[in-house]
Short mmCIF file of all heavy atoms in Angstrom, two decimals:
data_model
loop_
_atom_site.label_atom_id
_atom_site.label_comp_id
_atom_site.label_asym_id
_atom_site.label_seq_id
_atom_site.Cartn_x
_atom_site.Cartn_y
_atom_site.Cartn_z
N ASN A 996 3.07 -10.88 0.83
CA ASN A 996 2.00 -9.88 0.86
C ASN A 996 2.54 -8.50 1.25
O ASN A 996 2.02 -7.86 2.20
CB ASN A 996 0.88 -10.29 1.74
CG ASN A 996 0.08 -11.36 1.18
OD1 ASN A 996 0.02 -11.65 -0.14
ND2 ASN A 996 -0.50 -12.32 2.07
N THR A 997 3.52 -8.03 0.56
CA THR A 997 4.09 -6.68 0.87
C THR A 997 3.97 -5.83 -0.42
O THR A 997 3.67 -6.34 -1.51
CB THR A 997 5.62 -6.77 1.29
OG1 THR A 997 6.29 -7.42 0.25
CG2 THR A 997 5.72 -7.48 2.54
N CYS A 998 4.29 -4.54 -0.27
CA CYS A 998 4.25 -3.59 -1.47
C CYS A 998 5.57 -3.29 -1.99
O CYS A 998 6.50 -2.98 -1.27
CB CYS A 998 3.56 -2.29 -0.96
SG CYS A 998 3.38 -1.02 -2.18
N SER A 999 5.75 -3.38 -3.30
CA SER A 999 7.12 -3.13 -3.94
C SER A 999 7.16 -1.78 -4.59
O SER A 999 8.12 -1.43 -5.22
CB SER A 999 7.35 -4.25 -4.86
OG SER A 999 6.46 -4.07 -5.95
N ALA A 1000 6.07 -0.96 -4.38
CA ALA A 1000 6.10 0.37 -5.05
C ALA A 1000 7.11 1.36 -4.39
O ALA A 1000 7.43 1.13 -3.14
CB ALA A 1000 4.72 1.04 -4.85
N GLY A 1001 7.72 2.21 -5.13
CA GLY A 1001 8.68 3.04 -4.60
C GLY A 1001 8.16 4.00 -3.54
O GLY A 1001 8.93 4.47 -2.64
N LYS A 1002 6.97 4.37 -3.57
CA LYS A 1002 6.19 5.08 -2.58
C LYS A 1002 4.71 4.79 -2.82
O LYS A 1002 4.36 4.32 -3.90
CB LYS A 1002 6.54 6.68 -2.68
CG LYS A 1002 6.03 7.32 -3.96
CD LYS A 1002 6.35 8.76 -3.96
CE LYS A 1002 5.75 9.49 -5.14
NZ LYS A 1002 5.86 10.88 -5.00
N ILE A 1003 3.99 5.12 -1.93
CA ILE A 1003 2.53 4.87 -2.04
C ILE A 1003 1.80 6.21 -1.59
O ILE A 1003 2.26 7.00 -0.93
CB ILE A 1003 1.98 3.79 -1.16
CG1 ILE A 1003 2.14 4.01 0.33
CG2 ILE A 1003 2.60 2.43 -1.49
CD1 ILE A 1003 1.32 3.14 1.21
N HIS A 1004 0.51 6.29 -2.13
CA HIS A 1004 -0.32 7.38 -1.79
C HIS A 1004 -1.67 6.79 -1.49
O HIS A 1004 -2.24 6.03 -2.20
CB HIS A 1004 -0.51 8.33 -2.99
CG HIS A 1004 -1.46 9.49 -2.62
ND1 HIS A 1004 -2.72 9.48 -3.04
CD2 HIS A 1004 -1.26 10.64 -2.04
CE1 HIS A 1004 -3.34 10.62 -2.55
NE2 HIS A 1004 -2.36 11.28 -1.91
N VAL A 1005 -2.07 7.14 -0.31
CA VAL A 1005 -3.38 6.64 0.22
C VAL A 1005 -4.46 7.87 0.28
O VAL A 1005 -4.07 8.86 0.83
CB VAL A 1005 -3.31 6.05 1.69
CG1 VAL A 1005 -4.61 5.57 2.16
CG2 VAL A 1005 -2.30 4.87 1.70
N GLY A 1006 -5.50 7.63 -0.41
CA GLY A 1006 -6.53 8.67 -0.49
C GLY A 1006 -7.80 8.10 0.11
O GLY A 1006 -7.75 7.05 0.63
N ASP A 1007 -8.70 8.62 0.15
CA ASP A 1007 -9.45 9.90 -0.14
C ASP A 1007 -9.34 10.71 1.02
O ASP A 1007 -9.51 10.34 2.24
CB ASP A 1007 -10.83 9.42 -0.54
CG ASP A 1007 -11.93 10.36 -0.57
OD1 ASP A 1007 -11.75 11.58 -0.08
OD2 ASP A 1007 -13.06 10.04 -1.06
N GLY A 1008 -9.14 11.99 0.79
CA GLY A 1008 -8.85 12.82 1.86
C GLY A 1008 -10.07 13.13 2.76
O GLY A 1008 -9.95 13.76 3.83
N SER A 1009 -11.23 12.65 2.36
CA SER A 1009 -12.38 12.91 3.25
C SER A 1009 -12.71 11.66 4.02
O SER A 1009 -13.91 11.56 4.52
CB SER A 1009 -13.61 13.35 2.37
OG SER A 1009 -13.87 12.23 1.51
N ALA A 1010 -11.82 10.74 4.36
CA ALA A 1010 -12.11 9.45 5.01
C ALA A 1010 -12.47 9.78 6.47
O ALA A 1010 -11.79 10.59 7.12
CB ALA A 1010 -10.91 8.49 4.93
N ASN A 1011 -13.36 8.92 6.99
CA ASN A 1011 -13.68 9.06 8.40
C ASN A 1011 -13.50 7.71 9.03
O ASN A 1011 -13.36 7.70 10.31
CB ASN A 1011 -15.25 9.34 8.63
CG ASN A 1011 -15.50 10.74 8.18
OD1 ASN A 1011 -14.81 11.64 8.60
ND2 ASN A 1011 -16.52 10.89 7.28
N THR A 1012 -13.29 6.63 8.23
CA THR A 1012 -13.02 5.30 8.78
C THR A 1012 -11.94 4.59 7.82
O THR A 1012 -11.73 5.03 6.77
CB THR A 1012 -14.18 4.41 8.95
OG1 THR A 1012 -14.74 4.11 7.55
CG2 THR A 1012 -15.34 5.05 9.69
N ALA A 1013 -11.29 3.52 8.33
CA ALA A 1013 -10.37 2.89 7.48
C ALA A 1013 -11.03 2.40 6.15
O ALA A 1013 -10.39 2.36 5.15
CB ALA A 1013 -9.76 1.65 8.31
N LYS A 1014 -12.26 2.00 6.22
CA LYS A 1014 -12.96 1.50 5.04
C LYS A 1014 -13.13 2.62 4.02
O LYS A 1014 -13.38 2.28 2.90
CB LYS A 1014 -14.35 0.92 5.48
CG LYS A 1014 -14.20 -0.46 6.21
CD LYS A 1014 -15.61 -1.02 6.52
CE LYS A 1014 -15.55 -2.31 7.16
NZ LYS A 1014 -16.78 -2.93 7.34
N ASP A 1015 -13.03 3.87 4.42
CA ASP A 1015 -13.14 4.98 3.50
C ASP A 1015 -11.92 5.35 2.77
O ASP A 1015 -11.87 6.16 1.92
CB ASP A 1015 -13.64 6.29 4.22
CG ASP A 1015 -15.07 6.04 4.90
OD1 ASP A 1015 -15.78 5.30 4.36
OD2 ASP A 1015 -15.30 6.87 5.82
N THR A 1016 -10.77 4.65 3.09
CA THR A 1016 -9.50 4.85 2.46
C THR A 1016 -9.19 3.98 1.26
O THR A 1016 -9.86 3.00 1.17
CB THR A 1016 -8.32 4.81 3.45
OG1 THR A 1016 -8.23 3.42 3.93
CG2 THR A 1016 -8.45 5.73 4.65
N CYS A 1017 -8.27 4.36 0.39
CA CYS A 1017 -7.90 3.49 -0.72
C CYS A 1017 -6.50 3.77 -1.07
O CYS A 1017 -5.94 4.78 -0.84
CB CYS A 1017 -8.84 3.69 -1.84
SG CYS A 1017 -8.92 5.37 -2.50
N CYS A 1018 -5.88 2.83 -1.74
CA CYS A 1018 -4.48 3.07 -2.24
C CYS A 1018 -4.55 3.57 -3.64
O CYS A 1018 -4.92 2.86 -4.61
CB CYS A 1018 -3.67 1.69 -2.26
SG CYS A 1018 -2.05 1.81 -2.80
N ASP A 1019 -4.15 4.84 -3.71
CA ASP A 1019 -4.22 5.39 -5.02
C ASP A 1019 -3.02 4.96 -5.93
O ASP A 1019 -2.92 5.37 -7.13
CB ASP A 1019 -4.16 6.94 -4.95
CG ASP A 1019 -5.49 7.49 -4.42
OD1 ASP A 1019 -6.52 6.81 -4.51
OD2 ASP A 1019 -5.45 8.59 -3.86
N THR A 1020 -2.09 4.20 -5.41
CA THR A 1020 -0.94 3.72 -6.12
C THR A 1020 -1.26 2.40 -6.84
O THR A 1020 -0.47 2.08 -7.82
CB THR A 1020 0.24 3.44 -5.09
OG1 THR A 1020 0.48 4.73 -4.41
CG2 THR A 1020 1.55 3.15 -5.82
N PHE A 1021 -2.29 1.89 -6.62
CA PHE A 1021 -2.72 0.60 -7.23
C PHE A 1021 -2.74 0.68 -8.74
O PHE A 1021 -3.17 1.57 -9.34
CB PHE A 1021 -4.18 0.27 -6.82
CG PHE A 1021 -4.75 -0.92 -7.56
CD1 PHE A 1021 -4.51 -2.28 -7.22
CD2 PHE A 1021 -5.56 -0.70 -8.70
CE1 PHE A 1021 -5.02 -3.31 -7.93
CE2 PHE A 1021 -6.13 -1.76 -9.37
CZ PHE A 1021 -5.75 -3.07 -8.95
#
Side-chain angles (χ1 to χ4, degrees):
N996 290 333
T997 58
C998 179
S999 67
K1002 67 178 184 175
I1003 65 166
H1004 180 262
V1005 178
D1007 161 357
S1009 62
N1011 291 312
T1012 68
K1014 289 183 178 184
D1015 295 336
T1016 63
C1017 60
C1018 179
D1019 290 338
T1020 307
F1021 170 82

